[in-house]
């Protein structure tokens, strides 16, 4: 059974930091592209960051310079380090595993709330 389990969300003050984790099982982790997406209330789900199987990263302009995506293939876990958090970062954050053209896998989401 494929599972992606996010953890590390919570409530922080603006300017603070959080580190999200995505523990994967049931897939050959090292051949999947991993990603983080987020969805704020009333808004569309948007891409935050991706990392290829080879370690190449891509970021949304809104988080570039503040967030860092990484992966530990031995632990089959992806991470999202979030620094200098802003209230507009408040959203449910979802982990994603992709190996096109197959249908991607999604985690259950973890809430991140940033107060001013």
């Amino acid at each position: 059974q494929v599972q992606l389990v996010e953890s590390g969300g919570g409530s922080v003050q603006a300017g603070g930091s959080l580190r999200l984790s995505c523990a994967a099982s049931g897939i050959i982790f090292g051949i999947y592209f991993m990603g983080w997406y987020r969805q704020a209330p009333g808004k569309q789900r948007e891409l935050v960051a991706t990392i290829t199987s080879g370690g190449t990263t891509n970021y949304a302009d809104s988080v570039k310079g503040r967030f860092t995506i990484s992966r530990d293939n031995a632990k089959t876990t992806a991470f999202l380090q979030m620094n200098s958090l802003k209230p507009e970062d408040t959203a449910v954050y979802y982990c994603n595993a992709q190996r096109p053209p197959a249908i991607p896998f999604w985690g259950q989401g973890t809430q991140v709330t940033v107060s001013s």
Side-chain angles (χ1 to χ4, degrees):
Q1 299 293 328
V2 176
Q3 284 191 307
L4 301 177
V5 181
E6 300 99 332
S7 62
S11 297
V12 297
Q13 293 273 314
S17 297
L18 284 173
R19 183 175 173 86
L20 305 184
S21 298
C22 173
S25 60
I27 62 171
I28 304 174
F29 183 82
I31 64 174
Y32 278 77
F33 286 24
M34 301 299 296
W36 288 95
Y37 294 71
R38 67 187 182 187
Q39 187 168 26
K43 296 186 177 181
Q44 296 280 100
R45 186 174 298 186
E46 64 176 353
L47 184 147
V48 176
T50 59
I51 184 167
T52 70
S53 57
T56 300
T57 58
N58 183 56
Y59 298 92
D61 288 343
S62 59
V63 307
K64 201 165 190 174
R66 300 187 297 119
F67 291 10
T68 303
I69 188 172
S70 61
R71 64 192 296 160
D72 186 332
N73 288 349
K75 297 180 179 178
T76 67
T77 302
F79 304 94
L80 185 68
Q81 179 67 47
M82 304 185 293
N83 298 327
S84 302
L85 283 162
K86 304 174 180 180
E88 51 262 47
D89 295 318
T90 296
V92 177
Y93 283 70
Y94 296 91
C95 179
N96 163 277
Q98 291 184 312
R99 193 188 176 204
I103 300 298
F105 299 105
W106 292 91
Q108 82 288 348
T110 185
Q111 177 71 47
V112 171
T113 302
V114 185
S115 60
S116 60

